[in-house]
Amino acid sequence: MGPALQTPMPSSTAAAAMAATPAGEQSLVFALQQLFLHGTSAAAHLVLALAVAGRFLFRRLTLSGGRAKDGGVGEDAGRGTGGFRCYGVAVCTTWALAAFEALVAAYSWYADAAAASWSHDAVAEQVDTAARAAAWLLLAAYVQFDFGRQRHQERFPAPLRLWWALFMLLSVVGVGVHAAACLDGFPVSGRSWALDAVSVIAAVVLLAAGFLGRRDGRGHASEEPLLIGAHEAADERSGSAADTSLLTGSGFLSVLTFSWMAPLLAVGHTKTLVLDDVPGLEPGDSVAGLLPQFKANLDALTGESGSSGRKVVTAFKLTKALLRTVWGHVGVTVVYALVYNVATYVGPYLIDSLVQYLNGDERYASQGQLLVLAFIVAKVLECLSQGHWNFRMQQAGIRARSALVGVVYQKSLALSSHSRRSRTNGEMINIISVDADRVGIFAWYMHDLWLVPLQVGMAMFILYSTLGLASLAALGATVVIMLANVPPGKMQEKFQEKLMDSKDVRMKATSEILHNMRILKLQGWEMRFLSKIIELRKTETNWLKKYLYTSATVTFVFWGTPTFVAVVTFGACMLMGIPLESGKVLSALATFRVLQEPIYVLPDTISMVIQTKVSLDRIASFLCLEELPSDAVQRMPSGSSDFAINISNGCFSWEASPEVPTLKDLNFKVRPGMRVAVCGTVGSGKSSLLSCILGEIPKLSGEVQICGTTAYVSQSAWIQSGKIQENILFGMEMNKEKYDRALESCSLNKDLEILPFGDQTIIGERGINLSGGQKQRIQIARALYQDTDIYLFDDPFSAVDAHTGSHLFKECLLGDLASKTVVYVTHQIEFLPSADLILVMKDGRIAQAGKYDEILGSGEEFMELVGAHKDALTTLDAINAMNRGNMSSSCSGTAKLKLSKSLSSCEKKHKANEDEGNAQSGQLVQEEEREKGRVGFWVYWNYLIIAYRGALVPFVLLAQILFQTLQIASNYWMAWAAPVSKDVEPAVSMSMLLYVYVALALGSSLCILVRSLFLATVAYKTATLLFNKMHMSIFRAPMSFFDSTPSGRILNRASTDQSEVDTNIAGQMGSVAFSIIQLVGIVTVMSQVAWQVFAVFIPVFAVCVWYQRYYIDTARELQRLVGVCKAPIIQHFAESITGSTTIRSFGKENQFEATNSHLMDAYSQPKFYNTGAREWLCFRLDVLSSLIFAFSLIFLINLPTGLIDPGIAGLAITYGLNLNMLQALVVWGLCTLENKIISVERILQYISIPAEPPLFMSGDKLDRNWPSNGEIQLYNLHVKYAPQLPFVLKGLTVTFPGGMKTGIVGRTGSGKSTLIQALFRIVDPTIGQILIDGVDICTIGLHDLRSRLSIIPQEPTMFEGTVRSNLDPLGEYTDNQIWEALNCCQLGDEVRKKELKLDSPVIENGENWSVGQRQLVCLGRVILKRSKVLVLDEATASVDTATDNLIQKTLRQQFLETTVITIAHRITSVLDSDMVLLLDDGVAVERDTPTKLLEDRSSLFSKLVSEYTMRSMQT
């Protein structure tokens, strides 16, 4: 063979050879002639040469002028690449290749010069070698002399890396063409082989350098400061090591084989991974590195458009911006995808040649080894390119998700009030938890859209070369199948969209219910609201069922496609008279099998494209929402003006429509240092006034100016989950002196002493483990610590008791903030005389303005409020007279001191006894539980048997086994029955051959249909049952579960995990089972030819399983970390949306965006390394399965000719081509399933939450009129919130007589609210009993108890719906009764004003009603219910004194014979009680009638009243 390879083949020989080949092969040789190959190569290299020459010329021209100014750039030369990785490798390789190309060009010229005449091929070859030599010499010069001087370049230029990738492709194609020519008997010159070898090696090295090369950023050692201490440097190094990506700094081989993952896998194998064990991300993968680039790309694409001047974001623009952000990864994966797809078609193309070789064909007599080498090289390239393609696409997906969440989070902080109301929390949470995820996952499928046509094209090319014109029938059949899938695809898109919309509605309702679970439990409404969720889920499952069955149809069509295409193609062969030889049949079948991959993937791709488009549309529409106008408030720097706040001609409306302004004709100016009080009745516009100062309410006209920084304390406390200290610092550095002063001013020190961990106590979601007063005081402390110029307080004093309120007012407003500008809304008249300006609001206008004395007699609005306050104080007249002598400041000071001492005595005792070692376990909110170790078999088993007790599972498996058996039988039949060559007599007739094949094909298609439908049925039923069980379990969970579980964790299970169960897990489980069945089939077929395959297969498979077990230890924990790290993102996002006003008022947007970025990176870390670990495994599995394949091939070609049927041997190789894919699919499928099944594990975890006691007790029925008297007796009552927490109530023994009014007082945190929770069995007594009318409440059902008691809770709650559904959720009352209740609670007129009356809408959390109005709705509920026991928990804290008096009067009239227990901060609320109970640190300190307690001057109650009276007398 040697000499033949050195000389070009004479044209006559070529013609003879071509004549000897069949028509298909002639056309192949023609298409791949040398002329075409050299022409393409020469053109590409000429373009490169021109580009580099142009670059040099341009650079010379631009630098010629600059040299004179800059004094030359020579000093920079050589230093530009000091810290550039792989630069030296790239330079050396480029110069070496340039030298080799120049030598080849010179030799070609010399060798061909002797020829008398040059053929076209020779001319093309000469042009090609010359172009290559020139291009590579110019490129080498550029890399060394031009790029080498550029210090600013972080990586090799993108065009250069793209060229190296293209060169790799050209080189691989060249090798393939020469190998194909050689196999077909055409000699190839040694010069061409040498050029191919050098080109491929150089291309691999350059491509690796291109993607690994980057500037380290460390610079030269001599450039570092000399005075860095050794310890400091060491600390810095160790600190950065944890944050450095394992990929950064890895060598070429390490990256190629994914060995850089080894350190993490070793750690994961020896211990359970925690987040601290997971290394950091590359800068390009972090939000900080991605977001600016993505935003710049998006801004460049979304110009100002529309009349409003808003930027219009569409799904297309969003996609374009994402692609521009991750285009480097997309570009390189295009190359990997091309290499992979070319390599996969090498096998089917060579099958026919191998069958002919085994049959002893003369043409292939000496090419056995070459054939085997071609098979193996193609397999290796396939494995390498597939691994890196998957890894880089996953990395691109992680980047896309991070960029989207970052931009959505920024947008959510900037939404206007109108936009904020148009989107619910649930919808916004879905955007970051589901939609952004889906866009990230789409990276997997991105290239499939253009690869499918390419793969179909290559398949048709191979079919044409083997079957000639019959391939057109195959193309027609494929196109028909693809077109047939369009209608189901469109249906799928529609169903997917509807599914997502209905999921949004459900998530919104779930989110609202979770936030208000306490009130639902207190009222006994939770089951009613559960049925509402189940109804919403029914709508969702209606769409889910349609979606799953449509998917099943699509799956059936595509699984049946290869068989259908084969039947059509072979049928066409029969009609056209094309002989079917076993080699050609096997080549065609192998091609159909390879074509199966794009055809299998296509339904998923279509489905993913549809889902991703829906998600991108949703994200784009969110990004189009209106933002708060930046010009609503003119902000000026501190001290730059003579006023602090100036509003002139202000007109504002929440509805953004001039017809119904919320505030109108606002004109006032506040000078720096002024105290401004805002008062008025409920709904008069007080809170809206503060909102207009902050720029939160849409401005219709006028001007708002603010001079200086602002702090805002909202009416409903907004507290972040986290430590108390973190809430107060709010992102600022700790200043101990300032911090202690803020705690002292807000009376927080005593509360911190009671709390188990002081200021390190972790607050539950929305401050769940703090009382209302504590939350407000933490809010005030946060504002004080920020030390701003202007303070806006929205009635924070209403939530605290009289003593604390007085202390706060004096210490904070009159003390710490004496020199600051303060605007405070208040209902407490006693705080008004201290104001420099009082604004009295009525119907959105400033009705009166001036100092207290000035406006006292000038208008009825203010007189009305003051008059109501005076009425409330008439009860105290006698006491005032009695205690007049004690009103001096010195006495009140002493009283206050005694009070403080007595209140803290119990706390000190408790502190002394507290267990010091009670560390993290004492925190209410614990770290989220995650299972450790392997996912238990019980999880899989429970999932399998939950639907129909697992009855359908055997049928699904049986259908797949039958499908596999029939498919192998049909292929076996074709291989056996078709003749090996034209000379051999066929075993059966052509028609018989086809009829049997069609019958077997129809049987296998039927099996697939049955399997798909059964699988869809199982998926739907299982998802429905798991959903119902989990939600029943959640709704029946005790309140302690909601107190200690952030709603983000529950919502995560209800959205993300439930989505996995709905659409993915059944399919994934089926996929693993089907792959295992296919793998068994393949190994069985291969062993038919050579049972010796088992000798290699068994040990290799054992090694595969060992690798899988080694890998899964790390992968499982990484997947669990992904699950655990997702909830904090959702929770932080939900908290940020709720507190966006507070965040903006303090100007903390950047701080919160940074926190979001940090949480996103913590989520991306385990996700990124999970991907790396998976490709580490896949690479090793591919290498091992390639070993089995190589062994089989080598074994086959070394068997004596005729020992084995060539057709059956070819069939074994046909199946063997899929071996690595299937073996990897089985192992990887098992790993994916174990990762995905964690969603089921997490749902099952919530199904087994311990439930509350039964809602109804069977057995003795309660008397219908119980409680008839309403007497409540407490015996030795001890209550604590969790086993690890201290007692809150400590041995309380009290009787509340039936039909009497009892007031409970005590400072914040004394156990008042806990007593109420024990009464409603929100918390069951640890020790002791509560009897109502002689019945122990622990012996009756929860609903029996709660439905017979009434409560107006501390935090007024309204649900989304209507006024009617809020007053009467269970639909038990008539409209007349509802109107009567509304009239009683002073809301009748307000509701009548509204167009829809009782059907007037209430938005999420009742945000279109003021806090006071919400409290009145709660009053309306109890008036409707008319229970014998009524509890008022700070019920009138959010209303003005006048409304409070009306409520008290209503209560006296409506609940004359009812036992009323009142917890109040306003002393006047309890003075007309029949009895007062004073609690202190969970102990009843005093209990008697108010008169008796007031007569005893030394009583704590008397001192509390004195404090309040003294404060009030100032008015």
Side-chain angles (χ1 to χ4, degrees):
M1 267 176 86
L5 288 173
Q6 298 302 321
T7 56
M9 184 172 61
S11 56
S12 58
T13 318
M18 282 174 72
T21 59
E25 288 182 9
Q26 280 188 21
S27 64
L28 175 67
V29 173
F30 177 77
L32 299 177
Q33 273 195 347
Q34 301 290 329
L35 183 63
F36 174 72
L37 195 65
H38 289 310
T40 307
S41 173
H45 281 87
L46 279 171
V47 169
L48 172 70
L50 288 170
V52 176
R55 161 95 186 162
F56 269 128
L57 191 65
F58 176 73
R59 194 159 173 74
R60 291 286 156 216
L61 289 171
T62 52
L63 286 178
S64 57
R67 276 180 195 283
K69 293 181 209 163
D70 301 342
V73 291
E75 63 195 45
D76 274 351
R79 292 197 310 169
T81 53
F84 205 100
R85 203 178 344 129
C86 295
Y87 173 73
V89 174
V91 170
C92 294
T93 308
T94 318
W95 277 116
L97 187 58
F100 180 76
E101 295 282 8
L103 275 171
V104 169
Y107 175 73
S108 296
W109 189 264
Y110 168 75
D112 292 343
S117 63
W118 283 9
S119 65
H120 290 305
D121 277 359
V123 172
E125 192 176 358
Q126 289 301 332
V127 172
D128 183 21
T129 51
R132 288 166 81 109
W136 282 102
L137 283 164
L138 280 166
L139 192 64
Y142 162 75
V143 173
Q144 178 149 16
F145 302 118
D146 191 357
F147 175 72
R149 294 171 189 268
Q150 295 175 32
R151 294 181 66 91
H152 66 278
Q153 290 275 21
E154 287 299 313
R155 302 190 67 174
F156 286 111
L160 182 63
R161 286 181 284 149
L162 205 59
W163 162 252
W164 285 340
L166 183 63
F167 179 62
M168 171 81 180
L169 193 64
L170 283 171
S171 306
V172 170
V173 169
V175 171
V177 168
H178 288 142
C182 196
L183 286 170
D184 285 334
F186 298 96
V188 178
S189 68
R191 193 167 65 209
S192 297
W193 283 120
L195 191 60
D196 283 343
V198 172
S199 295
V200 169
I201 293 165
V204 169
V205 173
L206 289 173
L207 197 59
F211 290 104
L212 297 177
R214 66 183 67 204
R215 197 173 297 283
D216 285 342
R218 290 193 289 272
H220 198 273
S222 62
E223 294 173 28
E224 290 184 10
L226 296 171
L227 298 174
I228 294 179
H231 292 296
E232 237 176 279
D235 286 349
E236 220 170 282
R237 275 196 299 275
S238 65
S240 64
D243 294 333
T244 312
S245 169
L246 288 178
L247 190 54
T248 308
S250 302
F252 172 66
L253 269 176
S254 177
V255 171
L256 190 71
T257 61
F258 295 96
S259 301
W260 54 271
M261 276 299 304
L264 182 61
L265 288 159
V267 173
H269 186 59
T270 53
K271 59 171 272 200
T272 300
L273 283 183
V274 293
L275 196 58
D276 292 342
D277 297 320
V278 183
L281 296 167
E282 289 192 292
D285 291 325
S286 67
V287 178
L290 281 167
L291 196 55
Q293 189 187 352
F294 176 63
K295 282 192 75 181
N297 289 332
L298 193 59
D299 290 344
L301 290 166
T302 55
E304 297 286 330
S305 56
S307 55
S308 61
R310 291 215 299 264
K311 290 190 174 177
V312 176
V313 183
T314 62
F316 178 69
K317 287 175 182 173
L318 203 56
T319 309
K320 215 167 165 185
L322 282 171
L323 284 172
R324 285 185 183 180
T325 309
V326 296
W327 78 270
H329 283 65
V330 174
V332 69
T333 49
V334 167
V335 177
Y336 290 143
L338 278 171
V339 171
Y340 170 75
N341 281 285
V342 170
T344 51
Y345 281 96
V346 169
Y349 177 68
L350 295 178
I351 281 274
D352 192 21
S353 305
L354 185 69
V355 170
Q356 300 307 328
Y357 170 79
L358 293 173
N359 198 36
D361 193 314
E362 290 296 321
R363 288 175 302 166
Y364 300 97
S366 57
Q367 292 174 1
Q369 282 82 3
L370 195 59
L371 275 168
V372 170
L373 186 65
F375 269 113
I376 292 167
V377 167
K379 262 288 162 242
V380 169
L381 280 174
E382 182 188 322
C383 298
L384 278 172
S385 55
Q386 188 182 24
H388 287 276
W389 171 19
N390 286 343
F391 176 68
R392 291 298 175 189
M393 281 323 295
Q394 279 286 81
Q395 196 178 6
I398 290 169
R399 290 185 174 192
R401 185 187 191 282
S402 295
L404 285 173
V405 173
V407 83
V408 166
Y409 184 82
Q410 282 189 355
K411 181 77 180 183
S412 70
L413 287 186
L415 289 181
S416 70
S417 59
H418 184 260
S419 302
R420 175 70 192 79
R421 289 207 300 276
S422 72
R423 294 296 172 105
T424 63
N425 287 8
E427 283 174 359
M428 290 194 262
I429 287 167
N430 259 352
I431 283 175
I432 64 156
S433 68
V434 178
D435 294 319
D437 251 3
R438 189 163 284 137
V439 174
I441 292 165
F442 178 69
W444 271 106
Y445 301 88
M446 186 189 294
H447 292 315
D448 293 339
L449 293 170
W450 61 269
L451 279 175
V452 168
L454 177 77
Q455 288 165 320
V456 170
M458 288 195 288
M460 292 309 141
F461 177 79
I462 293 171
L463 287 172
Y464 185 71
S465 67
T466 52
L467 299 176
L469 288 174
S471 60
L472 295 176
L475 178 62
T478 307
V479 170
V480 165
I481 288 288
M482 286 181 173
L483 289 175
N485 199 51
V486 172
K490 285 190 174 169
M491 283 163 69
Q492 244 182 326
E493 179 177 14
K494 179 185 150 195
F495 296 151
Q496 174 68 27
E497 216 167 308
K498 298 284 187 187
L499 183 63
M500 287 308 296
D501 289 345
S502 49
K503 184 185 246 67
D504 274 351
V505 175
R506 172 175 63 81
M507 287 306 298
K508 170 179 152 189
T510 308
S511 173
E512 186 181 38
I513 287 168
L514 290 176
H515 284 169
N516 299 312
M517 188 54 85
R518 184 175 299 275
I519 183 68
L520 295 182
K521 295 268 183 196
L522 287 168
Q523 301 280 11
W525 290 343
E526 69 267 41
M527 288 299 111
R528 167 77 181 136
F529 279 77
L530 171 62
S531 63
K532 183 180 166 187
I533 294 289
I534 298 292
E535 280 304 311
L536 291 172
R537 172 67 180 176
K538 274 182 186 164
T539 311
E540 188 184 343
T541 50
N542 185 30
W543 295 115
L544 175 66
K545 187 190 273 188
K546 289 176 180 173
Y547 175 78
L548 286 171
Y549 282 116
T550 312
S551 299
T553 312
V554 172
T555 307
F556 159 67
V557 168
F558 276 94
W559 273 76
T561 297
T563 314
F564 174 72
V565 174
V567 167
V568 170
T569 310
F570 295 148
C573 287
M574 188 174 83
L575 293 173
M576 291 179 184
I578 299 169
L580 287 176
E581 297 158 22
S582 58
K584 290 178 178 179
V585 167
L586 289 170
S587 180
L589 287 175
T591 306
F592 297 143
R593 282 184 75 81
V594 177
L595 197 54
Q596 266 183 331
E597 192 190 344
I599 285 172
Y600 285 172
V601 162
L602 198 57
D604 286 345
T605 306
I606 292 168
S607 170
M608 255 337 271
V609 168
I610 291 161
Q611 292 179 33
T612 308
K613 167 119 180 12
V614 171
S615 290
L616 283 167
D617 282 333
R618 285 153 57 90
I619 295 169
S621 73
F622 180 76
L623 294 177
C624 286
L625 290 177
E626 180 187 35
E627 295 185 9
L628 276 174
S630 51
D631 60 348
V633 176
Q634 187 185 337
R635 294 181 183 272
M636 293 176 282
S638 181
S640 62
S641 177
D642 63 340
F643 60 80
I645 302 167
N646 179 32
I647 299 183
S648 52
N649 303 319
C651 189
F652 306 86
S653 172
W654 286 115
E655 303 303 323
S657 65
E659 291 83 42
V660 278
T662 310
L663 299 172
K664 44 194 174 292
D665 308 329
L666 291 191
N667 284 287
F668 68 93
K669 186 180 282 193
V670 180
R671 291 188 306 281
M674 275 178 77
R675 275 192 299 279
V676 180
V678 183
C679 60
T681 54
V682 170
S684 58
K686 303 182 295 297
S687 298
S688 298
L689 181 68
L690 296 189
S691 294
C692 83
I693 295 170
L694 291 169
E696 293 291 324
I697 178 169
K699 182 172 72 178
L700 301 176
S701 61
E703 192 175 23
V704 183
Q705 294 171 301
I706 288 183
C707 180
T709 53
T710 53
Y712 170 66
V713 178
S714 58
Q715 188 172 9
S716 300
W718 177 72
I719 301 287
Q720 286 179 274
S721 44
K723 292 175 185 167
I724 290 173
Q725 187 187 81
E726 290 166 0
N727 266 284
I728 295 171
L729 297 182
F730 208 44
M732 289 183 74
E733 291 292 316
M734 167 60 97
N735 176 333
K736 195 75 178 96
E737 191 182 332
K738 193 161 99 173
Y739 180 73
D740 290 341
R741 176 70 196 135
L743 292 181
E744 178 57 39
S745 298
C746 297
S747 326
L748 278 168
N749 285 320
K750 289 194 178 71
D751 298 277
L752 296 183
E753 282 173 25
I754 295 171
L755 290 168
F757 296 93
D759 63 357
Q760 297 303 305
T761 301
I762 294 172
I763 302 172
E765 193 178 18
R766 305 184 317 284
I768 204 101
N769 48 339
L770 299 176
S771 70
Q774 287 170 327
K775 284 190 270 190
Q776 278 295 12
R777 285 181 287 129
I778 288 170
Q779 271 212 123
I780 297 168
R782 173 172 67 201
L784 288 180
Y785 192 80
Q786 298 304 306
D787 195 24
T788 59
D789 302 310
I790 300 167
Y791 284 82
L792 305 173
F793 291 103
D794 193 354
D795 196 19
F797 311 112
S798 63
V800 296
D801 56 75
H803 165 70
T804 312
S806 179
H807 175 89
L808 282 174
F809 189 77
K810 284 178 185 163
E811 295 294 325
C812 299
L813 266 74
L814 305 183
D816 294 349
L817 304 179
S819 60
K820 307 283 187 181
T821 309
V822 181
V823 179
Y824 60 99
V825 169
T826 186
H827 289 131
Q828 278 128 310
I829 304 298
E830 57 269 27
F831 293 146
L832 296 178
S834 309
D836 301 315
L837 172 67
I838 298 170
L839 303 176
V840 183
M841 300 295 295
K842 185 168 185 182
D843 299 331
R845 282 192 172 85
I846 297 174
Q848 290 174 273
K851 287 204 164 196
Y852 186 82
D853 297 333
E854 292 169 11
I855 63 171
L856 194 53
S858 65
E860 61 181 44
E861 289 84 5
F862 191 56
M863 281 306 293
E864 192 184 315
L865 292 168
V866 174
H869 181 62
K870 296 279 186 203
D871 292 345
L873 288 174
T874 50
T875 327
L876 290 167
D877 283 347
I879 304 139
N880 289 342
M882 194 169 57
N883 293 342
R884 190 102 350 125
N886 298 328
M887 282 297 133
S888 71
S889 59
S890 61
C891 285
S892 73
T894 316
K896 209 190 311 181
L897 189 66
K898 279 183 188 170
L899 180 67
S900 302
K901 279 182 183 171
S902 61
L903 287 174
S904 63
S905 60
C906 299
E907 290 158 16
K908 284 178 181 163
K909 277 183 220 158
H910 166 65
K911 199 73 182 158
N913 299 336
E914 196 174 295
D915 179 12
E916 296 290 328
N918 189 19
Q920 177 67 26
S921 64
Q923 295 281 19
L924 177 68
V925 180
Q926 304 285 343
E927 286 291 312
E928 180 166 6
E929 257 187 74
R930 67 182 176 110
E931 303 285 342
K932 292 183 171 60
R934 292 182 63 176
V935 176
F937 174 72
W938 66 273
V939 177
Y940 297 94
W941 183 247
N942 280 351
Y943 180 81
L944 286 171
I945 64 165
I946 200 163
Y948 309 109
R949 297 192 177 177
L952 288 182
V953 175
F955 290 105
V956 173
L957 293 175
L958 183 64
Q960 177 65 25
I961 291 166
L962 277 173
F963 164 75
Q964 192 63 30
T965 308
L966 291 171
Q967 205 182 41
I968 290 173
S970 62
N971 292 347
Y972 213 92
W973 166 258
M974 291 301 280
W976 173 79
V980 177
S981 64
K982 283 180 282 186
D983 314 330
V984 180
E985 185 68 31
V988 294
S989 68
M990 189 81 153
S991 54
M992 182 65 178
L993 175 78
L994 213 61
Y995 290 150
V996 173
Y997 185 73
V998 169
L1000 292 168
L1002 284 173
S1004 65
S1005 299
L1006 186 66
C1007 291
I1008 282 299
L1009 180 62
V1010 171
R1011 188 205 80 183
S1012 301
L1013 293 174
F1014 277 0
L1015 195 62
T1017 307
V1018 169
Y1020 166 76
K1021 188 69 178 173
T1022 306
T1024 307
L1025 289 170
L1026 281 174
F1027 178 90
N1028 292 347
K1029 286 187 176 185
M1030 176 173 75
H1031 279 71
M1032 174 57 88
S1033 183
I1034 290 169
F1035 276 67
R1036 288 286 293 113
M1039 200 58 223
S1040 58
F1041 168 75
F1042 299 96
D1043 290 348
S1044 59
T1045 308
S1047 63
R1049 289 184 197 168
I1050 304 172
L1051 291 173
N1052 204 359
R1053 281 167 174 83
S1055 64
T1056 314
D1057 292 325
Q1058 188 63 46
S1059 284
E1060 287 286 350
V1061 172
D1062 284 350
T1063 55
N1064 287 339
I1065 290 175
Q1068 185 62 42
M1069 214 173 245
S1071 174
V1072 170
F1074 307 155
S1075 301
I1076 289 171
I1077 292 166
Q1078 281 184 292
L1079 185 66
V1080 170
I1082 285 182
V1083 175
T1084 308
V1085 170
M1086 288 180 77
S1087 62
Q1088 289 291 304
V1089 178
W1091 58 264
Q1092 291 86 346
V1093 168
F1094 275 119
V1096 180
F1097 176 76
I1098 290 167
V1100 165
F1101 195 72
V1103 174
C1104 285
V1105 171
W1106 180 85
Y1107 266 129
Q1108 192 256 352
R1109 296 319 319 157
Y1110 182 77
Y1111 151 86
I1112 200 69
D1113 292 335
T1114 303
R1116 187 196 309 111
E1117 298 312 319
L1118 285 172
Q1119 186 61 30
R1120 282 181 176 142
L1121 284 173
V1122 168
V1124 170
C1125 290
K1126 189 167 187 177
I1129 298 170
I1130 295 173
Q1131 192 184 334
H1132 179 253
F1133 184 67
E1135 279 182 355
S1136 303
I1137 298 166
T1138 313
S1140 55
T1141 304
T1142 305
I1143 294 166
R1144 286 193 291 264
S1145 67
F1146 284 97
K1148 297 284 182 181
E1149 292 97 327
N1150 290 345
Q1151 176 194 316
F1152 275 76
E1153 283 165 17
T1155 305
N1156 180 60
S1157 299
H1158 171 72
L1159 291 171
M1160 270 306 303
D1161 289 345
Y1163 172 73
S1164 297
Q1165 278 169 250
K1167 216 168 170 57
F1168 173 80
Y1169 287 102
N1170 204 3
T1171 304
R1174 197 190 67 221
E1175 296 311 332
W1176 174 92
L1177 175 70
C1178 284
F1179 175 78
R1180 280 146 187 78
L1181 296 183
D1182 282 344
V1183 167
L1184 289 168
S1185 58
S1186 298
L1187 272 176
I1188 299 174
F1189 185 58
F1191 172 81
S1192 308
L1193 280 171
I1194 293 164
F1195 182 80
L1196 274 177
I1197 64 160
N1198 288 313
L1199 282 175
T1201 308
L1203 186 68
I1204 194 162
D1205 184 342
I1208 302 301
L1211 181 67
I1213 299 304
T1214 307
Y1215 273 97
L1217 286 171
N1218 277 10
L1219 183 67
N1220 71 309
M1221 188 179 86
L1222 263 171
Q1223 192 171 321
L1225 205 63
V1226 168
V1227 176
W1228 171 232
L1230 283 167
C1231 298
T1232 309
L1233 180 59
E1234 187 154 357
N1235 287 345
K1236 295 250 186 211
I1237 204 81
I1238 288 169
S1239 288
V1240 177
E1241 180 183 62
R1242 284 156 60 83
I1243 288 174
L1244 290 173
Q1245 199 180 53
Y1246 270 28
I1247 286 175
S1248 55
I1249 302 167
E1252 279 186 307
L1255 299 178
F1256 303 99
M1257 283 286 187
S1258 56
D1260 296 339
K1261 290 275 182 187
L1262 267 180
D1263 182 31
R1264 271 191 67 212
N1265 299 326
W1266 181 90
S1268 52
N1269 186 24
E1271 184 185 54
I1272 301 169
Q1273 296 162 296
L1274 313 179
Y1275 293 114
N1276 190 27
L1277 192 64
H1278 287 73
V1279 175
K1280 56 163 114 178
Y1281 281 101
Q1284 75 269 22
L1285 297 179
F1287 280 111
V1288 183
L1289 294 180
K1290 304 162 186 174
L1292 210 57
T1293 303
V1294 180
T1295 299
F1296 298 99
M1300 290 176 73
K1301 317 266 180 290
T1302 304
I1304 303 178
V1305 291
R1307 65 182 300 280
T1308 304
S1310 60
K1312 303 188 296 289
S1313 291
T1314 306
L1315 173 56
I1316 302 308
Q1317 296 198 52
L1319 186 60
F1320 281 82
R1321 289 186 65 194
I1322 294 295
V1323 188
D1324 271 338
T1326 313
I1327 306 168
Q1329 278 182 312
I1330 302 175
L1331 305 181
I1332 299 180
D1333 281 3
V1335 176
D1336 185 346
I1337 63 168
C1338 290
T1339 62
I1340 60 173
L1342 292 182
H1343 271 198
D1344 290 333
L1345 170 69
R1346 292 169 185 170
S1347 60
R1348 313 286 179 100
L1349 310 181
S1350 288
I1351 183 166
I1352 302 181
Q1354 187 171 359
E1355 290 180 9
T1357 305
M1358 286 178 82
F1359 303 94
E1360 188 173 11
T1362 62
V1363 174
R1364 180 189 279 105
S1365 70
N1366 266 281
L1367 281 163
D1368 180 22
L1370 307 180
E1372 294 173 329
Y1373 304 100
T1374 64
D1375 280 10
N1376 288 339
Q1377 288 173 303
I1378 293 172
W1379 277 117
E1380 197 182 320
L1382 282 170
N1383 293 332
C1384 289
C1385 66
Q1386 314 301 319
L1387 270 178
D1389 294 340
E1390 184 67 35
V1391 176
R1392 280 187 192 90
K1393 278 186 211 167
K1394 297 187 181 289
E1395 193 182 338
L1396 296 170
K1397 306 289 189 289
L1398 289 178
D1399 293 318
S1400 301
V1402 176
I1403 65 167
E1404 192 175 13
N1405 300 324
E1407 283 175 13
N1408 55 343
W1409 295 70
S1410 76
V1411 179
Q1413 286 170 328
R1414 283 181 241 164
Q1415 193 68 280
L1416 293 174
V1417 168
C1418 294
L1419 175 64
R1421 285 179 192 149
V1422 301
I1423 291 172
L1424 269 176
K1425 201 170 178 185
R1426 294 191 185 282
S1427 301
K1428 197 65 185 167
V1429 175
L1430 170 63
V1431 176
L1432 309 176
D1433 189 358
E1434 327 269 7
T1436 55
S1438 303
V1439 296
D1440 57 89
T1441 316
T1443 313
D1444 183 12
N1445 287 352
L1446 278 168
I1447 290 174
Q1448 296 300 337
K1449 189 177 165 190
T1450 307
L1451 289 171
R1452 277 194 292 274
Q1453 289 169 353
Q1454 300 289 333
F1455 298 98
L1456 201 58
E1457 295 177 0
T1458 300
T1459 306
V1460 179
I1461 299 174
T1462 308
I1463 292 180
H1465 290 146
R1466 289 186 183 150
I1467 297 297
T1468 49
S1469 302
V1470 294
L1471 280 175
D1472 66 343
S1473 302
D1474 302 315
M1475 177 144 348
V1476 170
L1477 172 68
L1478 193 140
L1479 289 179
D1480 182 25
D1481 192 25
V1483 178
V1485 182
E1486 295 173 356
R1487 178 180 169 277
D1488 215 327
T1489 60
T1491 321
K1492 283 191 179 169
L1493 286 172
L1494 289 168
E1495 283 170 4
D1496 179 3
R1497 306 253 181 103
S1498 63
S1499 74
L1500 293 178
F1501 182 68
S1502 173
K1503 286 165 186 168
L1504 271 176
V1505 173
S1506 301
E1507 173 74 31
Y1508 181 82
T1509 314
M1510 183 196 71
R1511 192 174 77 188
S1512 304
M1513 287 307 288
Q1514 295 172 359
T1515 63

